[in-house]
Amino acid sequence: MNVQICVGSSCHLKGSQIIIELMQAALEKNGIQDKVNLSGSFCMGVCNRVGVTVSVDGEPHTGITRDNFSEFFREHILEKLK
Ligand code: FES
């Protein structure tokens, strides 16, 4: 699975770094770091007012924040790897 976290200027200001850290920790905690190819991305053109854009296998998800990260991770990464 390819997961890209946007580090474009808008997403960067809204916490890309925090999302990268949460992502790395969650992948490790679930022992799936080998199944996910994690990388950064330039602006995906879907900047959201509240959060960061993360694409999963080419499908962008907007508005990811510290608060909704766990839900996003479970629904769009963990569940899809099962
Ligand atoms: S800066 Fe992330 S989608 Fe534009």
Side-chain angles (χ1 to χ4, degrees):
M1 173 183 277
N2 286 308
V3 174
Q4 287 189 304
I5 297 176
C6 180
V7 292
S9 42
S10 174
C11 288
H12 174 74
L13 287 175
K14 281 171 277 159
S16 296
Q17 195 54 43
I18 290 163
I19 300 303
I20 290 169
E21 283 163 21
L22 289 173
M23 183 69 76
Q24 285 170 334
L27 293 175
E28 249 175 68
K29 187 173 161 221
N30 289 282
I32 53 171
Q33 59 273 58
D34 294 348
K35 294 185 181 168
V36 173
N37 178 18
L38 183 62
S39 60
S41 140
F42 292 118
C43 177
M44 299 185 211
V46 287
C47 311
N48 183 288
R49 252 185 250 182
V50 291
V52 175
T53 303
V54 179
S55 107
V56 179
D57 283 340
E59 189 191 338
H61 299 271
T62 59
I64 313 298
T65 63
R66 187 197 290 270
D67 293 339
N68 64 22
F69 177 81
S70 299
E71 196 184 329
F72 163 76
F73 184 81
R74 200 173 49 242
E75 199 172 317
H76 295 285
I77 296 178
L78 215 47
E79 288 291 321
K80 287 186 181 163
L81 283 174
K82 277 187 182 165

